[in-house]
Amino acid sequence: MIAPVRAWLAAAAVLLVLFSTALVPDTSVPRAEAAVGCVRDPNIGFCVVPQAFQIAFGKESSFIDTYDWHTQSFTDLGTTTITVADGTTRQVNHYRFKQLVVDKDILIDQNRGADYRVQITAPGPIELGGTNNAGQAMWTDVWGTNLEFQWGTCIITWTWVPDNIGLNISGCWLRMNAYAISAYNPQPQPGQRDNPINLPKSTLQLLNGGA
């Protein structure tokens, strides 16, 4: 078992990546650093975990009539290079969701081998972008790799978004290895402090390495 201080520093780093925009949303207030001396990605604006964590929306046994997640639009913004906290770089995909809601079952899992493992779970519905307190759709950007849908049960319609084709998707599970998640208001108003992230009944577990 790892030392308690080291364990909670690891957990804090994961939570910072997930909830940095929830803590200070829709403002230009600088985000806190994940650790002293970390290297912030200049485009994302905060420290990025050096090893990807797994995101899972929904269970693989689900059917079309029990939505696992839905979004007003999903856009693939292409590949980009990100700088992670230790100063090295990664080539990843940049994805954008509009009003992202996970209806059932979410798992966010960071496994650092023999060091530690952190899991965040919630039964749903969960907003990882959702809407602000005025009912306006928020955006969620994800930087990661190995995106996978259960295409056979997805409900998909097409939409046009600037410079790209967007997909309205619901009714299927999603898997991805992610380095960073940022939920935000694309058109913030002065003084707004809306919170686009909501994880009711969520559970955080800090496990032994490799558990």
Side-chain angles (χ1 to χ4, degrees):
M1 179 178 293
I2 60 179
V5 172
R6 185 181 177 191
W8 284 111
L9 284 175
V14 175
L15 289 174
L16 179 69
V17 172
L18 298 174
F19 305 128
S20 59
T21 51
L23 296 174
V24 190
D26 304 336
T27 70
S28 59
V29 178
R31 297 179 176 89
E33 299 291 354
V36 175
C38 77
V39 179
R40 291 192 301 175
D41 181 276
N43 297 315
I44 298 177
F46 53 84
C47 289
V48 177
V49 292
Q51 181 173 318
F53 49 91
Q54 182 192 24
I55 299 174
F57 299 166
K59 295 181 178 179
E60 296 185 18
S61 60
S62 62
F63 293 96
I64 200 168
D65 60 346
T66 55
Y67 285 1
D68 287 324
W69 64 284
H70 63 273
T71 180
Q72 283 190 5
S73 68
F74 167 78
T75 308
D76 184 346
L77 299 175
T79 58
T80 186
T81 300
I82 61 171
T83 301
V84 299
D86 61 10
T88 60
T89 59
R90 304 285 188 277
Q91 188 77 11
V92 300
N93 290 92
H94 183 187
Y95 302 106
R96 178 165 293 158
F97 301 83
K98 182 179 180 180
Q99 194 172 332
L100 175 60
V101 177
V102 182
D103 303 279
K104 292 186 177 182
D105 301 307
I106 183 172
L107 168 67
I108 299 170
D109 185 358
Q110 186 184 40
N111 190 345
R112 293 298 300 273
D115 291 334
Y116 66 85
R117 185 172 186 175
V118 178
Q119 289 185 341
I120 301 172
T121 58
I126 303 106
E127 294 188 357
L128 288 178
T131 59
N132 64 8
N133 54 12
Q136 299 167 320
M138 302 290 97
W139 288 4
T140 303
D141 282 11
V142 183
W143 292 265
T145 60
N146 300 324
L147 178 67
E148 182 181 4
F149 293 135
Q150 184 191 26
W151 289 107
T153 60
C154 286
I155 299 175
I156 301 174
T157 56
W158 299 88
T159 56
W160 174 255
V161 294
D163 302 321
N164 212 321
I165 295 292
L167 298 177
N168 301 324
I169 302 176
S170 60
C172 57
W173 54 256
L174 174 149
R175 303 286 183 268
M176 189 192 319
N177 295 325
Y179 285 90
I181 303 174
S182 179
Y184 59 96
N185 186 341
Q187 297 178 319
Q189 300 299 314
Q192 276 190 345
R193 300 187 67 83
D194 299 318
N195 191 336
I197 295 178
N198 184 25
L199 295 177
K201 300 181 181 178
S202 59
T203 300
L204 184 150
Q205 296 185 73
L206 186 60
L207 307 172
N208 291 342

